[in-house]
Amino acid sequence: MTLRELSQGESGYITKVRGRGAFRKRIMEMGFVVGKKVTVIRKAPLRDPIEYNIMGYNVSLRRHEAQLIEVVTHQELKNLNIKEFNGVIDENILKTTNIPKRKEINIALIGNPNSGKTTLFNYASGSHERVGNYTGVTVDAKKAHFNHNGYIFNIIDLPGTYSITCYTPEELYVREYILEKVPDVVVNIIDASNLERNLYLTTQLIDMDIKVVIALNMYDELLRKGDRLDYHSLGKMIGVPIVPTISSKRKGIKELFDKIIDVYEDRDETVRHIHINYGKTIEDSIKRLQEVIKVDGNYRLTNVVAPRFLAIKLIERDKNTSEQCERCINKSAIFRTADDEIKRIEKVYNDNSESIITDAKYGFISGALKETVKPGTSERRRRSDIIDIFFTHKIWGFPIFIIFLWIMFGATFRLGAYPMHWIESGVNALSTYLSLLMPAGVLKDLLIDGIISGIGGVIVYLPNILILFFFISLMEDTGYMARAVFIMDKVMHKIGLHGKSFIPLIMGFGCNVPAIMATRTLENRNDRMITMLINPFISCSARLPVYLLLIGAFFPDHAGSVLFLIYIIGITIAVLTAILLKKTIFRSTQIPFVMELPPYRIPTLRSTIIHMWGKGVQYLKKIGGIILVATILVWALGYFPVNIDYSRNYEQEKKQIIAKYDNLLSETTYLNPSAIDSIALTKEHDIQTINLRQKVEQQERSYIGRLGHLIKPVMQPLGFDWKMSISILSGVAAKEIVVSTMGVLYMDEDVSKKTQSNSLTQKLKAQTYNSGRKKGMKVFTPLVAFSFMTFVLLFFPCIGTIVTISKESGSWKWGAFSIIYTTAVAWIISFSIFQIGSLLS
């Protein structure tokens, strides 16, 4: 019987994991080993994948992957040959270092995803790194410094990983960092409520024979569910001191760093040279390999990597270890011995050597916990299962997810409208004040028409961006993001992607740059490449100011729905592109879907504020950097050249208007005050009209106007005038600049209308063509606005995104490819919208 054949609520005991390669390696590392009980929780809304419970945590597998796992009933369990607990090999030697001690300690944080590693890092160091309740939040190493008891701690927060077998780029990065950088102490953060799964990584650190301290994090959850752990005895057994912590409440942090100091100073007798006993057959093979590895000529390798660790990894057929041994003087003897021992072990156990080691590790963990843990009941898991009855329900799962997204986008617009109006009023007031205070000149024009008009047009949308990140933070911190991946996996599978690709795509709603970096959590290169290349179609927060501006102007009664539609268009184009890329450039075999579904947790206010504030600071830094520079550049291109040969003598026309009305006033013998005011207003209106015409011609003859007219033939079929074309060009640096550029180009469009608001929204609504066959017609209509938003959504990713794609893909050709194909797609879609819409209207 296979795991797939079990019905909801039924349980089975694993007897064998079939398959090979990546799937078998990952599935066994996550606890699917012989003898473990697996219970079917539920199927996803589209019947695939399926959620299972094993070792007290929930994990999802696809149906065809569950087919590869053989199970038996409880009655048949007694016939299984389960690996026995062989204890440890204790050399009774303290683990000390001979290097001179100093008041500076280098530590590395390592742990499973969702173990609270980054939370501990934030509280210990005062940093503001991103914290989330799903796999892959930390996709790169984060560094910080921390002072404690006269010591300086250099802390590095390594990517979350289930093991260090080099299955993913994160695992390889973590392993290479520990072996090459050699931190003084490695802090292994463990989720105390899920010890059996988390301790697998610990067993690998023990094999590496390095100094380790365990932070038994979320200790309150272990106590809450009724478990009792004798962590002192467990620490002595494995030669690793254990310190209970509750990092979200700052409990145990001081004690943890006190213990790190003791371990560093060689004062803790718990830290001994201890090895996991894998049983006589495997231990004999390890010793034979060690003897071959430990020849004098290999000291450069064995001084860095423990020979026992190398021997175990060779038995596991680890490719990275084989590459390391290629540098050994007796590499032929090492590989020959390894092959012989692997054959001997596999003959005895009748299984793959890698699986045998994994089974043995879990056998050790299970035995160690039986001696030190008194289990209780898991209330936290039960609460999560009750919540999931609704959130991952076959009928209600999708509607709940879609409703949540709709609420997120609607709230982003409606709630953000109030502070946006306040900021906009403040910007206008500042412009008015400086206009009255400063003398006329280039500096005044630069400050008011360039910097304040451009930057002000972007900063007003900061509240909306903070609200968007608030909702994304809720999805991540509560654990709902993992459920979104669970219910979306079959959809992702249909377009040829792994369900985990959904996480970077959702992160793309915030910013495409970290979202593309998050693709490192995908094991398959082709999946990483496709996810990277379609991510620019996911509308990031930088585009949000453009949508809010145009939706507020032309779709005020349906703001939330139109914003939701824009995002759906981006998602749809991303999906279609993924299908095309999967069938053409990136053909590959599907990799397994194995993902933990962490229990729901209530996010802390501090974590949410840190997330929002961090993104707000990034946005403000962007304004103060690239957007400020680009705004000044756009203003300068629109301001110069100053000496222009106008088609008309505007100064002469203004003199004639002044003379005309002055004569009218002098020739009239009697005028009442209201008539005088009327003539004065008419005079001012006619002069402002001349000023407006002069300004329009100045913009058209400026450098930016010439550039706009140059690309006008290409953009005109999309319904865009030359100013919109220039705004789009400026968005190449950063999408927010589109709004600031429009703020500069359309700054004077309402000078002849006394009743007109000063806001950019009203300026766009009042904009008309001044010449040609469209003279007098509105430049912006709802159709043009929608076409423009679609183009901004899909065209050229920002420079930061292009650089990140090039870096993560390993080649600039993929960055160049992104520029070309996204812009082509944007033109085609916008062209279709405008032309079809024009025919139907």
Side-chain angles (χ1 to χ4, degrees):
M1 181 171 61
T2 67
L3 191 58
R4 178 178 174 176
E5 296 173 58
L6 296 178
S7 301
Q8 185 167 322
E10 290 185 338
S11 300
Y13 294 82
I14 298 171
T15 60
K16 187 176 183 180
V17 178
R18 293 185 283 111
R20 56 187 300 175
F23 168 72
R24 201 163 190 265
K25 179 184 291 187
R26 172 53 81 224
I27 202 75
M28 294 193 70
E29 287 178 346
M30 295 190 73
F32 285 80
V33 293
V34 175
K36 294 301 177 183
K37 180 181 178 180
V38 185
T39 303
V40 182
I41 304 300
R42 65 181 55 81
K43 296 177 182 178
L46 296 179
R47 316 300 292 169
D48 203 15
I50 304 172
E51 182 179 357
Y52 298 95
N53 181 274
I54 186 169
M55 291 187 180
Y57 77 100
N58 288 15
V59 64
S60 54
L61 303 174
R62 292 190 184 126
R63 293 163 62 88
H64 69 270
E65 290 153 4
Q67 185 74 33
L68 299 174
I69 301 173
E70 297 180 3
V71 296
V72 296
T73 62
H74 186 266
Q75 291 75 16
E76 299 169 304
L77 180 62
K78 59 182 179 181
N79 299 322
L80 288 181
N81 181 23
I82 301 174
K83 297 291 184 299
E84 61 182 14
F85 175 58
N86 296 300
V88 297
I89 301 170
D90 191 346
E91 297 181 0
N92 288 315
I93 301 173
L94 290 181
K95 193 178 294 183
T96 60
T97 52
N98 296 323
I99 61 173
K101 298 297 188 291
R102 58 198 187 283
K103 291 294 183 178
E104 188 174 353
I105 306 175
N106 298 315
I107 67 173
L109 305 184
I110 178 174
N112 285 189
N114 308 311
S115 62
K117 180 173 56 65
T118 304
T119 304
L120 190 147
F121 174 79
N122 286 341
Y123 279 111
S125 64
S127 298
H128 297 155
E129 294 302 336
R130 180 69 192 98
V131 178
N133 188 20
Y134 69 98
T135 304
V137 172
T138 307
V139 295
D140 202 352
K142 307 293 189 301
K143 298 178 181 179
H145 304 285
F146 175 61
N147 295 319
H148 179 73
N149 281 2
Y151 288 82
I152 299 173
F153 289 87
N154 299 316
I155 311 173
I156 183 161
D157 178 22
L158 295 172
T161 178
Y162 292 105
S163 74
I164 47 175
T165 56
C166 303
Y167 176 65
T168 67
E170 280 69 36
E171 293 178 356
L172 179 60
Y173 180 87
V174 170
R175 184 159 128 189
E176 288 183 345
Y177 182 88
I178 294 173
L179 294 177
E180 294 176 8
K181 302 297 182 181
V182 194
D184 297 314
V185 179
V186 170
V187 180
N188 181 201
I189 292 87
I190 287 178
D191 179 355
S193 63
N194 198 349
L195 289 170
E196 194 167 10
R197 201 279 315 285
N198 278 247
L199 282 170
Y200 182 83
L201 178 59
T202 308
T203 63
Q204 295 179 315
L205 297 176
I206 293 172
D207 287 340
M208 296 178 81
D209 201 23
I210 56 178
K211 283 188 174 182
V212 179
V213 174
I214 290 177
L216 194 63
N217 204 27
M218 306 180 196
Y219 189 64
D220 55 334
E221 294 187 5
L222 179 141
L223 298 177
R224 194 179 300 127
K225 70 177 184 178
D227 287 358
R228 292 296 179 268
L229 170 65
D230 185 354
Y231 57 85
H232 291 295
S233 297
L234 179 61
K236 290 178 180 178
M237 181 189 300
I238 63 178
V240 178
I242 301 175
V243 180
T245 61
I246 310 173
S247 59
S248 62
K249 300 177 181 177
R250 302 194 180 200
K251 293 184 178 180
I253 305 298
K254 178 183 179 298
E255 292 77 6
L256 174 65
F257 280 90
D258 287 342
K259 181 60 68 177
I260 293 171
I261 292 173
D262 288 343
V263 171
Y264 172 73
E265 296 288 359
D266 301 328
R267 295 196 295 253
D268 195 312
E269 296 183 356
T270 304
V271 184
R272 306 186 311 282
H273 287 276
I274 286 178
H275 307 303
I276 296 169
N277 189 342
Y278 291 104
K280 187 177 186 309
T281 301
I282 299 174
E283 286 297 332
D284 288 345
S285 294
I286 292 172
K287 288 178 182 177
R288 292 189 186 98
L289 261 171
Q290 277 185 273
E291 291 173 1
V292 180
I293 293 170
K294 289 192 298 184
V295 300
D296 292 340
N298 294 335
Y299 68 91
R300 289 184 178 177
L301 177 60
T302 56
N303 281 351
V304 176
V305 188
R308 179 179 174 86
F309 179 74
L310 291 170
I312 293 170
K313 285 300 170 186
L314 286 172
I315 291 173
E316 289 182 306
R317 293 189 173 93
D318 184 82
K319 292 182 179 179
N320 184 259
T321 303
S322 297
E323 292 173 1
Q324 288 178 305
C325 291
E326 284 286 347
R327 301 193 296 269
C328 294
I329 61 170
N330 61 335
K331 62 180 181 180
S332 298
I334 292 174
F335 293 140
R336 184 171 59 252
T337 305
D339 289 340
D340 291 343
E341 296 306 321
I342 288 171
K343 290 176 182 176
R344 189 175 70 85
I345 291 170
E346 291 181 344
K347 184 177 180 181
V348 171
Y349 288 97
N350 191 31
D351 201 352
N352 176 277
S353 64
E354 187 176 60
S355 303
I356 294 166
I357 295 291
T358 303
D359 277 348
K361 285 183 183 294
Y362 273 112
F364 167 79
I365 294 169
S366 180
L369 292 179
K370 280 181 181 178
E371 294 188 11
T372 55
V373 174
K374 292 182 179 179
T377 57
S378 179
E379 291 295 331
R380 180 183 67 151
R381 188 74 260 176
R382 189 174 298 134
R383 287 197 298 269
S384 291
D385 291 340
I386 292 172
I387 296 172
D388 275 342
I389 290 175
F390 302 98
F391 282 0
T392 60
H393 191 270
K394 63 180 180 180
I395 296 176
W396 303 113
F398 272 110
I400 289 174
F401 178 55
I402 293 172
I403 289 171
F404 185 87
L405 291 181
W406 186 83
I407 291 173
M408 177 173 71
F409 298 132
T412 297
F413 188 89
R414 296 184 183 278
L415 294 181
Y418 299 102
M420 183 176 73
H421 176 71
W422 302 333
I423 296 174
E424 187 176 70
S425 299
V427 170
N428 289 335
L430 178 62
S431 296
T432 303
Y433 173 75
L434 291 176
S435 179
L436 297 173
L437 183 67
M438 296 181 68
V442 176
L443 180 60
K444 177 182 179 180
D445 293 339
L446 168 63
L447 185 60
I448 296 175
D449 298 335
I451 297 175
I452 294 178
S453 180
I455 295 298
V458 177
I459 201 172
V460 294
Y461 299 107
L462 177 62
N464 306 87
I465 290 170
L466 291 178
I467 292 171
L468 177 65
F469 276 109
F470 170 79
F471 279 96
I472 292 177
S473 178
L474 283 181
M475 292 179 69
E476 296 170 350
D477 295 349
T478 58
Y480 183 67
M481 184 73 84
R483 273 67 184 185
V485 174
F486 176 69
I487 65 178
M488 288 296 295
D489 176 65
K490 190 165 186 179
V491 176
M492 302 301 291
H493 190 54
K494 291 290 185 183
I495 67 175
L497 289 176
H498 193 284
K500 286 184 181 179
S501 293
F502 189 65
I503 290 176
L505 296 180
I506 285 290
M507 288 179 68
F509 288 132
C511 179
N512 294 138
V513 172
I516 290 169
M517 293 175 66
T519 60
R520 298 177 193 175
T521 60
L522 301 172
E523 292 84 3
N524 182 276
R525 173 172 169 77
N526 282 358
D527 281 353
R528 286 200 301 274
M529 289 301 304
I530 294 174
T531 308
M532 272 191 274
L533 293 174
I534 67 173
N535 208 287
F537 292 135
I538 302 301
S539 188
C540 66
S541 60
R543 299 170 170 99
L544 190 58
V546 183
Y547 307 150
L548 297 177
L549 170 66
L550 295 175
I551 289 174
F554 301 100
F555 306 96
D557 297 331
H558 307 284
S561 299
V562 174
L563 185 61
F564 183 67
L565 178 60
I566 288 291
Y567 279 81
I568 290 298
I569 290 174
I571 294 169
T572 303
I573 298 299
V575 167
L576 295 175
T577 305
I579 295 173
L580 179 63
L581 292 174
K582 193 71 175 181
K583 291 184 177 180
T584 54
I585 303 174
F586 299 106
R587 295 180 182 176
S588 67
T589 307
Q590 285 292 321
I591 67 166
F593 178 79
V594 184
M595 193 191 73
E596 179 185 357
L597 294 175
Y600 287 100
R601 291 191 173 98
I602 298 175
T604 64
L605 180 62
R606 185 178 188 273
S607 172
T608 303
I609 291 175
I610 283 174
H611 187 205
M612 292 174 60
W613 175 249
K615 295 304 178 184
V617 168
Q618 287 180 20
Y619 187 70
L620 292 174
K621 284 181 178 178
K622 215 173 184 184
I623 291 174
I626 189 170
I627 295 178
L628 176 60
V629 173
T631 297
I632 294 173
L633 178 62
V634 169
W635 172 84
L637 290 174
Y639 190 84
F640 296 102
V642 177
N643 298 319
I644 295 176
D645 293 329
Y646 291 105
S647 61
R648 299 160 59 177
N649 191 335
Y650 293 105
E651 295 302 322
Q652 181 63 34
E653 290 183 15
K654 282 186 280 187
K655 288 179 181 178
Q656 290 175 355
I657 290 173
I658 293 172
K660 171 185 174 183
Y661 287 103
D662 287 347
N663 291 334
L664 180 62
L665 289 171
S666 62
E667 290 175 0
T668 306
T669 56
Y670 174 77
L671 286 175
N672 60 41
S674 62
I676 294 174
D677 290 341
S678 177
I679 293 173
L681 287 173
T682 305
K683 171 185 172 182
E684 182 182 351
H685 176 273
D686 290 350
I687 291 174
Q688 288 179 335
T689 301
I690 298 298
N691 286 332
L692 172 61
R693 291 170 181 169
Q694 183 177 9
K695 183 62 181 176
V696 169
E697 185 171 351
Q698 187 273 328
Q699 285 183 332
E700 289 195 59
R701 291 175 178 268
S702 68
Y703 296 127
I704 202 169
R706 297 170 191 177
L707 183 59
H709 284 291
L710 183 65
I711 64 172
K712 181 180 176 181
V714 178
M715 309 304 287
Q716 202 168 28
L718 282 57
F720 305 163
D721 70 347
W722 67 271
K723 294 182 182 181
M724 280 187 265
S725 303
I726 289 301
S727 300
I728 285 172
L729 274 181
S730 67
V732 167
K735 293 297 182 288
E736 301 98 330
I737 300 176
V738 172
V739 173
S740 61
T741 302
M742 295 175 81
V744 173
L745 294 179
Y746 294 120
M747 61 186 172
D748 286 325
E749 287 301 305
D750 63 343
V751 295
S752 63
K753 299 178 176 63
K754 289 183 175 294
T755 59
Q756 193 73 16
S757 167
N758 251 347
S759 71
L760 181 56
T761 297
Q762 297 299 331
K763 292 175 184 178
L764 296 184
K765 291 170 71 174
Q767 182 74 194
T768 58
Y769 286 100
N770 295 296
S771 60
R773 60 185 180 85
K774 291 186 177 181
K775 184 176 181 180
M777 296 174 63
K778 294 287 186 182
V779 173
F780 282 93
T781 64
L783 178 60
V784 171
F786 195 79
S787 174
F788 187 79
M789 287 190 289
T790 306
F791 195 90
V792 170
L793 164 70
L794 302 174
F795 89 113
F796 189 119
C798 69
I799 294 297
T801 302
I802 293 298
V803 171
T804 307
I805 289 175
S806 301
K807 180 181 176 182
E808 295 297 318
S809 65
S811 173
W812 280 98
K813 71 177 183 180
W814 294 115
F817 176 74
S818 297
I819 294 172
I820 296 169
Y821 93 91
T822 56
T823 304
V825 168
W827 195 93
I828 292 170
I829 300 298
S830 293
F831 174 84
S832 302
I833 289 173
F834 180 72
Q835 295 298 331
I836 294 173
S838 298
L839 290 174
L840 296 177
S841 61

